[in-house]
Amino acid sequence: MDIFTTFIFMIVIGAVIGAATNHLAIKMLFRPYKPYYLFGKQLPFTPGLIPKRRDEVAKQVGVMVMEHLLTPEGIKKRFESSEAKQEILQAVHRYIDKGADMEMTVFSMLKKYGFSQADVKADAWLHQWTDHKLHSLLEKYDQQTFSELLPQDVENKLASKIPDAADYILKRGIHYFESDEGKARLGHMIDDFLKERGMLGSMVQMFLGNSSLIDRVHPEMMKFLKNAETKRFLSDLLVQEWDKVKQFSLHELDEKWNVKELLFSVKKQLLSHFSTKVLLDRPVGVYISAVADDLKTKFAPSLIDKGIEAASNALEGLLAKLQFEEIIREQIELFPLEKMEELVISISNKELKMITFLGGLLGGLIGAVQAIFVTLF
C-alpha cells in the first residue's frame, strides 16, 4: 500500500469512527429505553442516560421552571403590563358584545341551567324579603315618633300643604251640599235632629215646616263654608291635629290606627301588580346592551385592575398551593420516552447532525495526523 492510499485510508477510518461515535453518543441519550440483564447482571449503559436519570431530570426541570421561568415576579410583571391589560380588556369587550346580541330570554337561560320556575321562586323570595325588611324596620323604629321618622323636608312640605288640604275639604263640602243629594242629606239631618229633640222639635216642625227650615239653614251653611274665617279655622285645626300626630310614636300610631297592618297591606297590594316574569321574559341582550357602554368604559377597566391587583397579591401563595413543580415532574415522568426523543430530535435535528459531522471531521483530522506520523516514523 503506497503512502497516499495509507493517508486516505486512515483519514476515512478516523472520520467514520468519529462520526459513528458521536452518533452513538446522541442515540445513547435516550436508548435503550429500559435496562437489559445478562446472567442477572444489568448491562452497563442500559437504559440510556435520560431514561436512567428520568426522575432526577423531571425534578430538576420542575425546580428550574419554578425558580427561574415561572416566577411570581415574572407573572406579576406580565399581568401588570399595559399590553396584557389591553388584551384582557379586548377579550371582555368581545364577551360584552356577544352578550348584547343574545336573543335568549333570561327565563330560558335560567331554565337551561337548571333553574325551573324562576319567576315563581323570584316572586316568593321578593315577598319574603320585603316582609322581613319591613318587619325589621318597623321593629327598629317602633318607639320613635312620627316626626323623628319623617325627613325634615317631607315634614315641611306636608305642613305647607295643610292650607291647601283645608281649602280642598271646604270646596268638596260646598260642592256636595250644593247638589241635590247634599240638600236631601241636609234635610234628613235636620229631620233627625228635630226628632231627637222630642216635643220641641215637633213644635219647630209644626211652625216652620221641614222644607222651610232647610231653605233657611242651607244658605247660612253655604255662607259658613265659603267664609275665609272658616278656612282659617279649619286650617288651624288641622295644624293642631297634625302637631299631635307627629308626637305619636310608631307603636302608638299602630295601636290607634293599625298602621303596621296598613303598611303590610299596601306593600302586598303593590307587589301583587308586579311579577318578575315580565323581566325574565325579556332577552338577555336587552339588559346587557342597556349597560354595555358603562360596562366597557367603567366597570370592565376597574374590574380588570382590581382583579389583576388581587391576583398579583395572591400569586405567590397560589403558585405554592398549585404545586406546579410537582405537576411538571409528574408530567415529565408520564411523558413517553419515544415522544420525548422525537421532540428533542425534531427541535435540534440540525444541531445534532452538525455534532455528528463535527465528530467525523475531528476523526478525519486525527486520522490525517496519525497517517503523517506513520509515514514519517
Side-chain angles (χ1 to χ4, degrees), residues 170 223-235:
L170 289 175
K223 289 180 182 179
F224 174 77
L225 293 176
K226 293 178 181 180
N227 193 292
E229 198 63 34
T230 304
K231 178 182 177 181
R232 191 177 298 107
F233 166 75
L234 181 58
S235 180

Side-chain angles (χ1 to χ4, degrees), residues 78-95 300 303-305 307-308:
R78 173 60 180 163
F79 272 162
E80 293 177 350
S81 67
S82 58
E83 294 83 0
K85 289 182 179 180
Q86 192 63 32
E87 289 175 6
I88 297 172
L89 186 61
Q90 289 175 358
V92 173
H93 283 187
R94 287 194 295 270
Y95 279 109
L303 181 65
I304 290 170
D305 288 339
I308 290 176

Side-chain angles (χ1 to χ4, degrees), residues 113-129:
Y113 290 102
F115 294 94
S116 58
Q117 295 183 323
D119 55 331
V120 177
K121 293 177 181 177
D123 288 345
W125 176 85
L126 187 60
H127 280 279
Q128 184 179 3
W129 181 79

Side-chain angles (χ1 to χ4, degrees), residues 42-209:
Q42 183 177 337
L43 295 176
F45 306 111
T46 64
L49 178 62
I50 292 179
K52 187 175 183 179
R53 302 285 186 178
R54 187 173 186 174
D55 293 344
E56 186 178 342
V57 170
K59 183 178 179 180
Q60 291 301 322
V61 170
V63 171
M64 181 186 69
V65 169
M66 292 305 299
E67 290 184 356
H68 302 287
L69 300 179
L70 197 64
T71 60
E73 293 77 14
I75 298 175
K76 186 184 295 186
K77 186 177 180 181
R78 173 60 180 163
F79 272 162
E80 293 177 350
S81 67
S82 58
E83 294 83 0
K85 289 182 179 180
Q86 192 63 32
E87 289 175 6
I88 297 172
L89 186 61
Q90 289 175 358
V92 173
H93 283 187
R94 287 194 295 270
Y95 279 109
I96 293 173
D97 292 335
K98 187 177 179 181
D101 293 333
M102 286 183 67
E103 296 183 357
M104 180 185 292
T105 64
V106 179
F107 189 81
S108 300
M109 186 176 71
L110 291 173
K111 189 175 182 181
K112 179 181 178 181
Y113 290 102
F115 294 94
S116 58
Q117 295 183 323
D119 55 331
V120 177
K121 293 177 181 177
D123 288 345
W125 176 85
L126 187 60
H127 280 279
Q128 184 179 3
W129 181 79
T130 51
D131 279 345
H132 174 71
K133 286 296 181 182
L134 184 57
H135 180 75
S136 299
L137 288 173
L138 293 175
E139 193 174 68
K140 180 179 179 180
Y141 299 111
D142 187 62
Q143 297 304 319
Q144 287 192 278
T145 63
F146 192 42
S147 178
E148 292 172 337
L149 293 174
L150 282 176
Q152 188 60 45
D153 58 337
V154 174
E155 184 176 339
N156 293 337
K157 286 181 180 180
L158 289 174
S160 66
K161 294 296 181 182
I162 289 178
D164 296 336
D167 185 60
Y168 177 78
I169 293 171
L170 289 175
K171 285 181 178 179
R172 296 306 301 171
I174 292 170
H175 178 75
Y176 178 75
F177 285 110
E178 282 181 342
S179 65
D180 294 336
E181 181 183 353
K183 290 180 180 179
R185 174 64 63 85
L186 182 61
H188 292 305
M189 291 170 63
I190 293 173
D191 187 48
D192 293 338
F193 175 80
L194 293 176
K195 285 181 180 178
E196 290 174 358
R197 296 301 177 270
M199 184 178 294
L200 179 61
S202 299
M203 290 176 63
V204 171
Q205 281 182 322
M206 180 177 65
F207 285 108
L208 298 177

